[in-house]
Amino acid sequence: MQGKLRNMASVYITDGNRMLLLYRVGSRVVAPSWCGVGGHFEKEELNDAKAAILREVWEEIGLRECDLKNLKLRYITLRNKNGEIRQNYYFFAELAKGTRIEKKCNEGTLEWVPVNEVCQREMPYTAGYVVKHYLETGRKTEAVYSGTATARGVIFTELELF
């Protein structure tokens, strides 16, 4: 490990009983798979994950913050992969009433997936564990969770405020 860091953020948007997923292709970091909307931080965003996700949402699907309800950072994960520490910031939000996503995404294919089918999709390693934990536990709380990726899965801990 040479001290290299990769900071990424993504958001999973729900609309009723469905979740927006992006089948991302052409990524330098992950194989083609289903994920949330998002990407890498820009240099000026390194201390502001929300700014990074709002920029990505605008670039990828043409939505502004006012188009999302309850946008919240819920998970931060760490994974040691390919000589770098990957820090992922996972947000969850709801589509604001009356908002529609009409923009095609140049990062891949967008699809509204029934929530009960989301975990059946092939996702990047930590994303799959985050979405599963969120659907089973996280959406019932207001907690922010940290997750450490291991070869056996991701270990989640609630981040306490103290």
Side-chain angles (χ1 to χ4, degrees):
M1 183 28 222
Q2 299 296 319
K4 296 285 185 178
L5 303 175
R6 183 178 298 272
N7 292 283
M8 298 171 283
S10 57
V11 63
Y12 288 87
I13 301 168
T14 57
D15 183 25
N17 286 324
R18 59 190 192 151
M19 182 178 282
L20 184 66
L21 294 181
L22 170 63
Y23 187 75
R24 187 174 298 277
V25 293
S27 170
R28 301 181 314 257
V29 180
V30 296
S33 54
W34 293 95
C35 57
V37 173
H40 293 87
F41 283 40
E42 299 293 337
K43 288 179 184 176
E44 64 275 6
E45 298 165 342
L46 287 178
N47 292 316
D48 193 346
K50 185 176 180 182
I53 201 57
L54 289 173
R55 176 187 50 76
E56 289 285 351
V57 165
W58 171 248
E59 289 175 0
E60 293 186 7
I61 59 174
L63 296 185
R64 297 285 188 195
E65 185 172 7
C66 63
D67 298 317
L68 302 171
K69 290 188 331 184
N70 300 318
L71 175 66
K72 294 180 182 172
L73 174 64
R74 298 300 307 281
Y75 293 84
I76 304 162
T77 63
L78 294 173
R79 182 177 184 195
N80 187 356
K81 176 135 175 106
N82 297 336
E84 63 189 12
I85 300 296
R86 294 184 179 180
Q87 299 176 105
N88 285 278
Y89 298 81
Y90 293 94
F91 289 78
F92 286 82
E94 301 160 41
L95 194 64
K97 188 175 181 176
T99 300
R100 292 183 5 183
I101 298 172
E102 298 180 17
K103 182 179 178 182
K104 293 224 177 230
C105 183
N106 62 359
E107 301 283 335
T109 303
L110 294 168
E111 184 178 330
W112 285 104
V113 177
V115 169
N116 63 345
E117 296 176 15
V118 167
C119 291
Q120 297 168 17
R121 301 293 176 104
E122 185 175 340
M123 296 183 175
Y125 190 77
T126 56
Y129 284 98
V130 164
V131 171
K132 183 177 188 294
H133 187 273
Y134 176 77
L135 292 174
E136 292 175 353
T137 304
R139 69 178 168 172
K140 300 171 193 163
T141 75
E142 291 295 318
V144 176
Y145 297 91
S146 66
T148 303
T150 72
R152 296 164 305 287
V154 177
I155 301 165
F156 292 103
T157 304
E158 185 175 328
L159 283 175
E160 297 178 22
L161 181 61
F162 63 94

